[in-house]
Amino acid sequence: MASARPQDRRLALVLQGGGALGAYQAGVYQALEEHDLAPDWVAGTSIGAINGALIAGNAPARRLPRLREFWEAVSRPGYWPPANVPGEWRLIAGMASALQAVMTGQPGFFTPRFAPPLFVGSGDSAKNASYYDTDPLRELLSRLVDFTALNQGAIRFSLGAVHVRSGRLRYFDSRFQEIRLEHVMASGALPPGFPAVEVDGELWWDGGIYSNTPLEVVLDDYPRRSTLCFMVDLFNSVGEEPRSIPEVETRHKDITYATRSRQHIETYAKVHNLRNAVSALYDRMPDGLRDDAEVKSWAALGCRTSMEIVHLGYPDRPGELSLKDVDFSSAAIAERWGKGYRDALRAIERAPWREPVPPHVGVVVHEVPQE
């Protein structure tokens, strides 16, 4: 198949947070790499930031092996049965694997604290006010990510984290500052499970508690460039009506972590289409009017770039409920990786971004239907 990579646009990869579901993103990346669609820019939050660091922080030939090494290190044999067994058994297996991680921790990722500070004022800092310790993840990432390559390599890397005291979201970006291990750890510091992480004297938490999809950092980039963006979500805002408490908890989590991406796209589409309309109107003005200083200042508000978003999302799967994002069983990880790979292949085979963008349309969203 001929290369599907556009030559006239930047290629971005946006990775949502979602714990163990992040193996789906690794499968998506595998398909992109195999078809000459490796990104120029990766933006991630939480597990998306970890996957992003593994991609941006390694030479091209090592990116996929490092992703595999990471997901093998944080998974373990579980109770996940074959795909053709009844959903009830899959539910039991998934819950058993997730509860094992909750109770005993997860190899390569987190371990339970012997005596977490449970009472008001019992801890000395947000750096240890958590149920788990994430030193195993720190050690694993320090081995798998080359931060010199991350900061000096060809891929731009951005990650989101929330300032503990102000509650403000910030995107750390390799274009503007050096990204270090603590930045990646901060982006994945989901409270109260994981402790806050200190970066340059300030404490930070997981960016997903404010905005789980770091799409806005790509959409708001300036100066603007036409971009093909693969956005990989791990939670689905659309789902069936829940009929039990566990299903209600699952829908609640999905909606909580998924809705802002849809809102970002809708808001940006309105604004960016207006920018394109401003430029189109300026082009149609008489020469004398276009030379007017005030008119030129108005025209500067417009642009002629386009943003195409290929939206891939991890689907609701039988036997997965609210603890699905802490089910690190090796079979579940393999299934999610394979699903991401197949979904991305279908998007690449269709390659809707090859079709011309309609005049004066700034944003086009290509939804990838499920199998």
Side-chain angles (χ1 to χ4, degrees), residues 45 159-172 183 186-189 191 196-197 202-212:
T45 296
L159 58 83
V162 170
H163 189 243
V164 171
R165 290 189 299 165
S166 69
R168 293 183 177 179
L169 175 70
R170 176 178 174 182
Y171 285 106
F172 296 94
H183 293 96
S187 187
V197 176
E202 298 290 339
L203 293 179
W204 300 84
W205 273 330
D206 190 313
I209 65 176
Y210 186 98
S211 177
N212 197 38

Side-chain angles (χ1 to χ4, degrees), residues 12-262:
L13 178 62
V14 171
L15 303 175
Q16 191 181 75
L21 305 179
Y24 177 85
Q25 297 171 340
V28 170
Y29 174 77
Q30 178 184 354
L32 295 180
E33 181 185 281
E34 290 177 354
H35 291 81
D36 191 30
L37 289 168
D40 306 306
W41 184 5
V42 179
T45 296
S46 196
I47 195 64
I50 292 173
N51 280 330
L54 291 163
I55 294 168
N58 280 290
R62 297 175 67 87
R63 291 169 189 164
L64 195 55
R66 288 304 198 195
L67 279 170
R68 290 195 181 280
E69 190 172 350
F70 171 82
W71 283 102
E72 289 172 0
V74 301
S75 62
R76 60 179 164 189
Y79 311 97
W80 197 270
N84 59 351
V85 303
E88 292 81 2
W89 288 105
R90 292 170 64 82
L91 171 60
I92 294 171
M95 290 297 290
S97 179
L99 288 173
Q100 183 179 12
V102 170
M103 297 300 294
T104 66
Q106 189 62 34
F109 212 129
F110 54 90
T111 56
R113 290 190 185 275
F114 177 70
L118 297 176
F119 302 101
V120 175
S122 61
D124 59 2
S125 169
K127 288 192 289 186
N128 58 31
S130 63
Y131 290 109
Y132 303 96
D133 184 285
T134 53
D135 280 347
L137 176 63
R138 181 183 297 273
E139 294 173 7
L140 181 62
L141 292 180
S142 66
R143 180 169 60 84
L144 297 182
V145 178
D146 180 344
F147 283 90
T148 299
L150 187 150
N151 287 287
Q152 299 178 9
I155 296 180
R156 178 179 174 183
F157 179 54
S158 306
L159 58 83
V162 170
H163 189 243
V164 171
R165 290 189 299 165
S166 69
R168 293 183 177 179
L169 175 70
R170 176 178 174 182
Y171 285 106
F172 296 94
D173 193 318
S174 63
R175 172 186 281 183
F176 305 111
Q177 68 252 107
E178 179 187 6
I179 302 297
R180 303 185 299 273
L181 175 59
E182 53 262 40
H183 293 96
V184 182
M185 294 294 295
S187 187
L190 181 64
F194 299 158
V197 176
E198 183 175 336
V199 179
D200 297 329
E202 298 290 339
L203 293 179
W204 300 84
W205 273 330
D206 190 313
I209 65 176
Y210 186 98
S211 177
N212 197 38
T213 305
L215 181 63
E216 65 264 37
V217 71
V218 175
L219 298 181
D220 293 334
D221 187 45
Y222 191 86
R224 299 181 185 91
R225 289 181 56 189
S226 292
T227 302
L228 172 62
C229 176
F230 288 87
M231 184 175 76
V232 189
D233 285 352
L234 300 178
F235 293 97
N236 192 350
S237 63
V238 178
E240 298 294 329
E241 177 183 335
R243 293 171 294 179
S244 66
I245 296 298
E247 290 174 345
V248 168
E249 292 174 343
T250 303
R251 285 298 302 135
H252 175 238
K253 178 178 279 189
D254 285 348
I255 292 170
T256 299
Y257 287 116
T259 49
R260 288 183 66 88
S261 60
R262 187 182 300 273

